[in-house]
Amino acid sequence: DYAFTGLNVNAKPFIPNVNAAEFVPARLWLGGSQRQVLFVATAAPPMENGDTELSAEDNWERKGCEVSEAEPGGGTAGDGGPAEEDSPQEEGTEEDEEVPTPKMVPAKPDAPKKEHVNVVFIGHVDAGKSTIGGQIMYLTGMVDKRTLEKYEREAKEKNRETWYLSWALDTNQEERDKGKTVEVGRAYFETEKKHFTILDAPGHKSFVPNMIGGASQADLAVLVISARKGEFETGFEKGGQTREHAMLAKTAGVKHLIVLVNKMDDPTVNWSLERYEECKEKLVPFLKKVGFNPRKDIHFMPCSGLTGANLKEPAEHCSWYTGLPFIPHLDSLPNFTRSSDGPVRLPIVDKYKDMGTVVLGKLESGSISKAQQLVMMPNRHTVEVLSLLSDDVETDDAGPGENLKLRLKGIEEEEILPGFILCTPESLCHSGRTFDAQIVIIEHKSIICPGYNAVLHIHTCIEEVQITALICLVDKKTGEKSKTRPRFVKQDQVCIARLRTAGTICLETFKDFPQMGRFTLRDEGKTIAIGKVLKLVAEKD
């Protein structure tokens, strides 16, 4: 280590031959009246040749360790970067320090690639989405018993002992204290045939935009409803989230819906068939109206998230349900068709800095490999893929339907916004501001005229939009278009309108690329309309 003496604080000490990347922050206190804190770089031990190929995680862990050695006081000195995130703040004991994030499950490299399926859990607040997610992870062995016991202990201290399962997915403090999911939680689990990503969407109505982002990555939705007396009804009435979520899932392109009737073990329900049928009868007409086909697309099943009944093994109290339990049912679903030879389209969900620019998203079509040149639309930045992580496991190439983390070269993190799209230079996706779309008005008290402003959610992009013109009304039953231009549209009508967004966004027509051609319009915290892009209109300069 290089030590500095002398009290000239402003003099920059010179350190020979030390690579900046090997610096580890440490603290040096100057005694006496100076009271200054200097950040001194202590050189990390030189690497052997074999060690140069360190993965990103390794690197940070290694830094994290050294920092804590240099600093018995706990907490890193000057590095607010990932080293700090990786070390859990509360725990002091070594034993707990191994399990800050139970979310990583490295796959065996020689295993054949299983089909990736993204499952989004949606439904009203407190229907039990996170708890079911946690229970599934426990049953499939993704969270070990010890971690859960730790959660259970912590939850008991807060008098919240029934919440401990949801803590496997609600990882940050705010979500745990309030028992509400805010961001879309992610976790993985595997069955014999498939690899699943759980997207645990928030049920609260303030966080519906987050939920839309989660649903836009999903292949299959699980609508969780609570069978407990009173809870099902509030979730289903006008202000409840059960209706809105089912509708948003349909718009986001989810083809198959599994309805889990949760909390069947509740004393007010006690696995009663009547209550189950009653929930079913109320839901089916509505789901039909949204566009799901009750015979083909929807599957109902009773379960209990807290006890885990009917998730993996059949429930013994429930003799009247003869179908497969939840996890085997997921495994038995037919494969999803995806084009791996289509154009590359990867809508960005999130981005952050970590030794470069990292973006997250689900590859909708095409395949991406390491060191490939891609273009970030709509800004047309050329970027190169430095490394690829599929569900936190490093790979060299990825196919459609996988959740990816890409480390990119040639673009700064500030230049990316969620909703941007990675494509290949040969087939860029379309971008623009004006487009014609067919819209169904779902819920709006007054009439909608040209000049109406709303918020547009299309794939992972959120942008302000204005309806500039109404072109014609469409008859719901016959599909005929009106000859005259309507002056306004109101609830339950279908119209074709011209929309103009505030900024340039990436989009495709619904016909060419369904995932990027459907959207929702929201205003005042409610979903007003759903629609699909019919054609893109060139800008008049």
Side-chain angles (χ1 to χ4, degrees):
D1 289 358
Y2 300 89
F4 311 125
T5 50
L7 284 175
N8 185 355
V9 183
N10 301 324
K12 289 192 174 62
F14 167 69
I15 305 176
N17 308 337
V18 177
N19 182 353
E22 294 170 4
F23 278 12
V24 177
R27 225 173 248 165
L28 185 74
W29 292 86
L30 290 176
S33 58
Q34 210 55 26
R35 308 267 159 141
Q36 285 265 13
V37 180
L38 271 185
F39 291 118
V40 176
T42 61
M47 287 186 180
E48 267 84 35
N49 283 349
D51 281 358
T52 46
E53 293 293 320
L54 268 186
S55 72
E57 275 84 62
D58 259 295
N59 228 343
W60 285 122
E61 265 164 29
R62 174 167 184 161
K63 288 198 179 169
C65 310
E66 279 171 333
V67 170
S68 50
E69 280 165 26
E71 270 267 343
T76 58
D79 179 69
E84 202 164 37
E85 285 164 25
D86 281 2
S87 57
Q89 274 91 17
E90 311 77 52
E91 290 98 29
T93 56
E94 293 235 292
E95 164 173 85
D96 281 3
E97 227 140 81
E98 299 158 26
V99 284
T101 45
K103 289 199 180 180
M104 313 297 178
V105 184
K108 299 171 190 63
D110 52 344
K113 267 207 169 174
K114 300 181 181 180
E115 190 197 14
H116 281 245
V117 181
N118 290 350
V119 187
V120 66
F121 281 82
I122 55 177
H124 192 62
V125 181
D126 290 344
K129 300 179 288 295
S130 300
T131 302
I132 288 181
Q135 185 72 332
I136 288 173
M137 285 164 67
Y138 170 57
L139 291 172
T140 52
M142 296 290 144
V143 176
D144 49 40
K145 205 166 166 89
R146 204 180 96 202
T147 313
L148 272 187
E149 279 165 2
K150 187 177 117 210
Y151 289 157
E152 198 167 2
R153 250 192 347 263
E154 289 172 10
K156 259 213 176 79
E157 285 162 16
K158 295 189 174 171
N159 298 331
R160 297 274 189 270
E161 57 259 28
T162 57
W163 287 1
Y164 71 96
L165 284 159
S166 68
W167 284 15
L169 284 160
D170 292 349
T171 44
N172 71 21
Q173 211 46 50
E174 178 197 5
E175 293 183 328
R176 289 182 174 184
D177 292 345
K178 295 187 180 155
K180 305 257 186 300
T181 309
V182 177
E183 303 195 320
V184 178
R186 288 174 169 242
Y188 323 109
F189 70 94
E190 297 211 348
T191 55
E192 283 153 30
K193 302 181 200 140
K194 294 184 167 71
H195 174 103
F196 290 96
T197 302
I198 302 177
L199 300 162
D200 174 34
H204 202 283
K205 65 170 178 287
S206 337
F207 308 126
V208 170
N210 298 4
M211 178 256 149
I212 297 176
S216 68
Q217 304 165 51
D219 302 302
L220 152 120
V222 178
L223 178 63
V224 181
I225 56 177
S226 164
R228 193 184 284 171
K229 281 268 186 292
E231 281 193 9
F232 169 70
E233 285 72 13
T234 47
F236 195 68
E237 257 108 59
K238 265 282 185 263
Q241 264 45 61
T242 304
R243 292 162 162 262
E244 186 173 21
H245 277 191
M247 183 178 79
L248 289 169
K250 183 67 186 169
T251 327
V254 173
K255 313 243 183 346
H256 195 90
L257 185 72
I258 297 175
V259 182
L260 279 182
V261 184
N262 190 18
K263 305 198 185 181
M264 291 297 285
D265 59 327
D266 194 77
T268 60
V269 185
N270 212 353
W271 296 96
S272 89
L273 178 60
E274 290 81 63
R275 178 67 174 157
Y276 174 73
E277 288 298 328
E278 180 192 346
C279 295
K280 207 165 153 177
E281 274 161 27
K282 286 187 180 164
L283 265 175
V284 167
F286 170 69
L287 293 174
K288 225 170 167 169
K289 181 179 153 197
V290 176
F292 288 105
N293 175 346
R295 278 194 293 288
K296 287 200 307 240
D297 304 342
I298 308 178
H299 186 85
F300 281 86
M301 57 174 76
C303 77
S304 155
L306 191 60
T307 60
N310 208 26
L311 286 177
K312 194 174 183 188
E313 307 297 331
E316 58 257 26
H317 317 289
C318 180
S319 48
W320 43 266
Y321 177 72
T322 50
L324 285 170
F326 179 62
I327 296 173
H329 177 78
L330 286 182
D331 216 11
S332 66
L333 288 172
N335 283 3
F336 293 90
T337 48
R338 297 201 180 92
S339 59
S340 54
D341 49 357
V344 171
R345 294 283 181 272
L346 185 125
I348 308 274
V349 183
D350 198 7
K351 39 100 189 203
Y352 59 88
K353 267 195 180 118
D354 172 18
M355 299 167 57
T357 306
V358 180
V359 296
L360 293 91
K362 173 185 160 200
L363 187 54
E364 292 289 359
S365 82
S367 50
I368 288 183
S369 53
K370 214 163 158 175
Q372 189 175 351
Q373 296 278 337
L374 296 170
V375 177
M376 179 77 74
M377 293 292 289
N379 289 355
R380 297 180 188 261
H381 277 281
T382 307
V383 297
E384 187 184 332
V385 181
L386 292 179
S387 66
L388 262 183
L389 290 159
S390 167
D391 285 337
D392 290 319
V393 180
E394 206 158 312
T395 54
D396 286 340
D397 42 25
E402 295 189 37
N403 292 305
L404 301 179
K405 277 188 190 163
L406 305 176
R407 187 165 280 126
L408 301 178
K409 180 175 149 190
I411 192 166
E412 287 299 314
E413 180 249 357
E414 297 85 46
E415 300 174 301
I416 303 172
L417 288 173
F420 280 13
I421 299 214
L422 278 177
C423 345
T424 44
E426 297 79 58
S427 64
L428 295 176
C429 71
H430 293 96
S431 59
R433 287 176 57 186
T434 316
F435 59 95
D436 291 353
Q438 179 170 329
I439 309 176
V440 188
I441 311 295
I442 284 156
E443 186 185 348
H444 193 259
K445 290 192 216 52
S446 62
I447 58 173
I448 290 179
C449 307
Y452 175 78
N453 287 324
V455 177
L456 168 84
H457 290 255
I458 181 162
H459 52 88
T460 57
C461 177
I462 303 175
E463 186 66 69
E464 261 186 48
V465 68
Q466 182 177 46
I467 296 181
T468 52
L470 298 172
I471 296 167
C472 63
L473 288 174
V474 180
D475 189 303
K476 266 188 167 173
K477 295 197 175 66
T478 59
E480 277 180 26
K481 297 175 183 174
S482 63
K483 298 276 184 291
T484 54
R485 284 197 167 197
R487 299 198 6 231
F488 61 87
V489 287
K490 51 186 198 290
Q491 190 167 332
D492 290 338
Q493 284 186 319
V494 183
C495 70
I496 291 177
R498 178 157 295 183
L499 296 116
R500 184 180 169 85
T501 56
T504 307
I505 59 166
C506 297
L507 74 173
E508 297 282 356
T509 59
F510 183 77
K511 190 168 84 246
D512 296 343
F513 203 85
Q515 292 95 322
M516 286 172 55
R518 20 166 175 253
F519 61 88
T520 37
L521 294 179
R522 299 193 73 225
D523 189 25
E524 295 173 8
K526 287 203 287 292
T527 299
I528 284 167
I530 55 180
K532 53 186 190 183
V533 179
L534 297 177
K535 75 172 214 228
L536 309 172
V537 183
E539 287 288 309
K540 297 185 187 75
D541 291 334

